[in-house]
């Protein structure tokens, strides 16, 4: 392969030079993230490894087809769970699993998103085991982040290895913003020139760089809640020339904060009255309020059943085998095998609220045993997969490091899977945790065209 030949032709010193140049370029581009409560400061560069990850065209086709199937089924589930709840009435998912879910939002019952689409932008985390089998690790349907790093990583890699892009058939990634804007425009009420905005919590949010980056790439306004107001029955944006109607919001804040009249009354990030305007079909919101029910890791365990229930098909991509601690028998198994399992909190993200049993101390395992017994609904457990590794520069040497892959899926008039995605890599020796907040980094993902 050309890539292997190219890497072998370079000295370690030259690779390290290109690695440092790539890191410097990303810092200059502003590709940083924030870490809350960190003594080293809030703003950091997302560590980048200059050795790309390769996905064959044949392998990508399977992933693309499987992701489209999964997103369609998840959309059917969210639409159903906030309406007729057929999947509960038919006994596929226990009613108590939904009733006890913190991300099931009763104010969203009866909502009718434009076109019946709830999950417009999804980031689905995939892992590959040593035998080459792909598994879905989790679904992210509220405010999935990371696509800005995909786009910026690619730009840096083109500068680092221009000759390879000229010789290898690598699928491009620079069309993401156009696909996203097209999908958002399809949601707009019937008006001559729909006005789209990106709603951010503000500069202190961990993904603020991405919010501003996507707004700039799409050519739309980046706004905070204080920039918006409900007036004359419509959502309006404050401008130097007065109020201007907003037709579509790409929101990057959680449901809890989006409208203090409906959800958290103490929220200063959202817009009072927004949900009522949304109910009336006078503004569109992507992703639709309520999609977080599908982010619940206990609900994740039922996705294969959703695919069979709504589509009448077998899942193309499998879940990681999952034990639901709410179930008495499965909870007993988990408690007896904490030294062999990974335990996750149902609603945490970023690598928090997690126990990696084989690497944990006995004290930590006992702590999680107590947490599970006190609130079993809030925990699931999974076996530790033998994850595949990819070559990575760690310090001044090559090591095989664990990775995952987050492709991004846009659901507009049809379902589009962006080629590649964010490969996150565990840079700490022996670590399985790839999250940036936990010391992980990223790689460019090259999907071959043929």
């Amino acid at each position: 392969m050309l890539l292997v030949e190219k890497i072998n032709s370079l000295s370690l010193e030259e690779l390290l030079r290109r690695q440092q140049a790539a890191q410097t370029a990303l810092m200059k581009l502003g590709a940083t993230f924030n870490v809350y409560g960190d003594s080293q400061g809030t703003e950091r560069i997302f560590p980048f490894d200059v050795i790309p990850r390769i996905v064959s065209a044949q392998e990508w086709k399977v992933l693309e087809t499987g992701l489209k199937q999964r997103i369609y089924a998840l959309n059917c589930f969210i639409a159903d769970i906030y309406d007729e709840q057929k999947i509960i009435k038919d006994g596929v998912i226990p009613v108590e699993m939904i009733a006890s879910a913190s991300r099931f939002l009763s104010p969203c019952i009866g909502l009718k998103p434009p076109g019946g689409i709830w999950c417009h932008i999804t980031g689905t985390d995939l892992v590959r085991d040593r035998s080459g089998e792909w598994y879905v690790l989790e679904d992210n349907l509220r405010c999935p982040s990371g696509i800005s790093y995909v786009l910026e990583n690619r730009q840096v890699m083109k500068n680092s290895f221009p000759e390879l892009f000229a010789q290898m058939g690598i699928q491009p990634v620079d069309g993401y913003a156009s696909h996203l804007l097209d999908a958002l425009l399809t949601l707009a009420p019937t008006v001559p020139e729909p006005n789209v905005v990106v709603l951010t919590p503000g500069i202190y949010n961990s993904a603020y760089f991405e919010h501003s980056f996507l707004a700039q790439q799409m050519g739309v306004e980046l706004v905070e809640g204080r920039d918006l107001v409900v007036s004359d029955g419509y959502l309006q944006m404050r401008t130097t020339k007065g109020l201007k109607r907003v037709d579509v919001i790409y929101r990057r804040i959680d449901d809890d904060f989006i409208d203090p009249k409906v959800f958290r009354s103490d929220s200063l990030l959202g817009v009072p009255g927004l949900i009522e305007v949304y109910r009336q079909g006078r503004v569109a919101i992507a992703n639709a309020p309520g999609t977080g029910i599908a982010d619940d890791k206990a609900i994740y365990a039922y996705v294969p059943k959703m695919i069979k229930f709504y589509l009448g098909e077998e899942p193309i991509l499998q879940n990681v085998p999952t034990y639901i601690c709410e179930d008495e028998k499965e909870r007993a198994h988990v408690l007896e095998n904490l030294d062999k399992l990974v335990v996750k909190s149902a609603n945490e993200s970023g690598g928090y609220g997690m126990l990696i049993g084989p690497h944990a101390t006995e004290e930590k395992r006992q702590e999680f045993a107590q947490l599970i017994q006190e609130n079993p609904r809030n925990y699931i457990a999974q076996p530790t997969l033998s994850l595949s590794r990819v070559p990575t520069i760690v310090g001044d040497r090559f090591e095989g490091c664990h990775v995952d892959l987050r492709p991004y899926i846009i659901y507009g008039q049809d379902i589009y899977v962006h080629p590649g995605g964010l490969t996150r890599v565990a840079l700490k020796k022996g670590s399985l945790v790839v999250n940036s907040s936990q010391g992980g980094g990223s790689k460019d993902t090259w999907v071959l065209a043929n």
Side-chain angles (χ1 to χ4, degrees), residues 167-188:
Q167 298 171 47
M168 294 179 66
I170 303 166
Q171 292 196 36
V173 300
D174 49 7
Y176 180 85
S178 295
H179 284 283
L180 176 58
L181 182 58
D182 287 346
L184 294 174
L185 289 172
T186 65
L187 307 176

Side-chain angles (χ1 to χ4, degrees), residues 20-244:
Q20 185 56 51
Q23 292 278 66
T24 301
L26 286 170
M27 179 61 83
K28 288 180 178 178
L29 288 167
T32 59
F33 68 97
N34 294 334
V35 179
Y36 305 123
D38 192 278
S39 59
Q40 299 178 27
T42 58
E43 194 170 48
R44 284 191 203 166
I45 186 74
F46 193 8
F48 177 68
D49 182 63
V50 79
I51 310 299
R53 181 188 197 170
I54 307 295
V55 180
S56 70
Q58 182 179 8
E59 205 167 22
W60 180 251
K61 185 64 178 176
V62 174
L63 294 179
E64 183 180 36
T65 306
L67 288 168
K68 287 181 177 182
Q69 179 196 56
R70 188 177 183 93
I71 297 309
Y72 187 75
L74 281 168
N75 191 76
C76 291
F77 163 71
I78 300 168
D80 180 29
I81 214 68
Y82 287 115
D83 192 16
E84 297 184 48
Q85 300 191 338
K86 294 177 182 177
I87 200 165
I88 292 176
K89 293 172 183 174
D90 285 16
V92 179
I93 296 180
V95 63
E96 58 270 16
M97 291 303 297
I98 302 299
S100 60
S102 63
R103 294 293 174 184
F104 177 71
L105 305 177
S106 56
C108 295
I109 293 173
L111 286 181
K112 302 294 182 185
I117 301 169
W118 292 74
C119 48
H120 310 94
I121 303 99
T122 306
T124 299
D125 291 345
L126 306 173
V127 291
R128 191 170 180 261
D129 69 11
R130 288 179 179 173
S131 68
E133 188 75 22
W134 288 91
Y135 293 89
V136 176
L137 191 61
E138 63 180 51
D139 303 290
N140 299 281
L141 285 83
R142 277 173 293 163
C143 307
S145 62
I147 186 62
S148 59
Y149 301 115
V150 175
L151 304 179
E152 296 286 44
N153 288 353
R154 176 58 56 86
Q155 189 59 48
V156 167
M157 284 296 285
K158 283 184 174 181
N159 294 332
S160 299
F161 296 98
E163 64 280 7
L164 288 178
F165 282 90
Q167 298 171 47
M168 294 179 66
I170 303 166
Q171 292 196 36
V173 300
D174 49 7
Y176 180 85
S178 295
H179 284 283
L180 176 58
L181 182 58
D182 287 346
L184 294 174
L185 289 172
T186 65
L187 307 176
T190 306
V191 292
E193 296 182 10
N195 185 25
V196 178
V197 300
V198 176
L199 176 60
T200 177
I203 60 172
Y204 297 108
N205 183 265
S206 61
Y208 180 75
F209 161 74
E210 178 159 295
H211 306 165
S212 58
F213 176 84
L214 289 175
Q216 183 269 330
Q217 290 287 303
M218 289 190 289
V220 304
E221 293 289 340
L222 179 69
V223 300
E224 297 180 29
R226 60 188 177 181
D227 300 319
L228 304 175
V229 63
V230 172
S231 178
D232 297 327
Y234 291 93
L235 183 66
Q236 311 263 13
M237 175 174 63
R238 295 184 173 95
T239 75
T240 55
K241 296 180 180 180
L243 296 179
K244 180 180 180 181

Side-chain angles (χ1 to χ4, degrees), residues 296-311:
D296 187 306
K297 292 179 178 64
I299 299 300
Y300 151 94
Y302 292 92
V303 176
K305 292 182 178 180
M306 293 178 198
I307 292 171
K308 294 176 184 177
F309 182 76
Y310 295 113
L311 280 60

Side-chain angles (χ1 to χ4, degrees), residues 256-388:
D256 291 346
F257 300 97
I258 203 167
D259 184 344
K261 284 188 173 182
V262 177
F263 302 114
R264 283 186 55 160
S265 59
D266 62 342
S267 172
L268 300 176
L269 301 176
V271 186
L274 173 59
I275 294 299
E276 182 56 33
V277 178
Y278 179 68
R279 278 188 182 277
Q280 294 171 2
R282 294 180 174 181
V283 70
I285 303 174
N287 286 344
T291 52
I293 181 63
D295 282 5
D296 187 306
K297 292 179 178 64
I299 299 300
Y300 151 94
Y302 292 92
V303 176
K305 292 182 178 180
M306 293 178 198
I307 292 171
K308 294 176 184 177
F309 182 76
Y310 295 113
L311 280 60
E313 300 171 359
E314 291 296 321
I316 296 169
L317 297 175
Q318 299 299 320
N319 274 16
V320 177
T322 302
Y323 300 100
I324 301 173
C325 292
E326 177 76 352
D327 182 278
E328 188 175 350
K329 289 183 179 179
E330 295 189 11
R331 180 168 68 251
H333 175 82
V334 170
L335 293 172
E336 290 171 8
N337 293 277
L338 282 175
D339 59 332
K340 305 180 186 69
L341 298 170
V342 175
V343 179
K344 299 178 182 179
S345 173
N347 292 293
E348 291 278 4
S349 60
Y352 296 103
M354 179 189 297
L355 174 82
I356 302 179
H359 299 167
T361 63
E362 180 60 29
E363 181 183 9
K364 198 67 178 177
R365 288 196 288 264
Q366 288 303 316
E367 177 188 329
F368 264 76
Q370 184 174 346
L371 290 170
I372 291 169
Q373 289 168 325
E374 290 174 353
N375 186 8
R377 170 60 180 81
N378 194 46
Y379 292 94
I380 64 161
Q382 298 169 331
T384 51
L385 296 180
S386 296
L387 299 181
S388 62

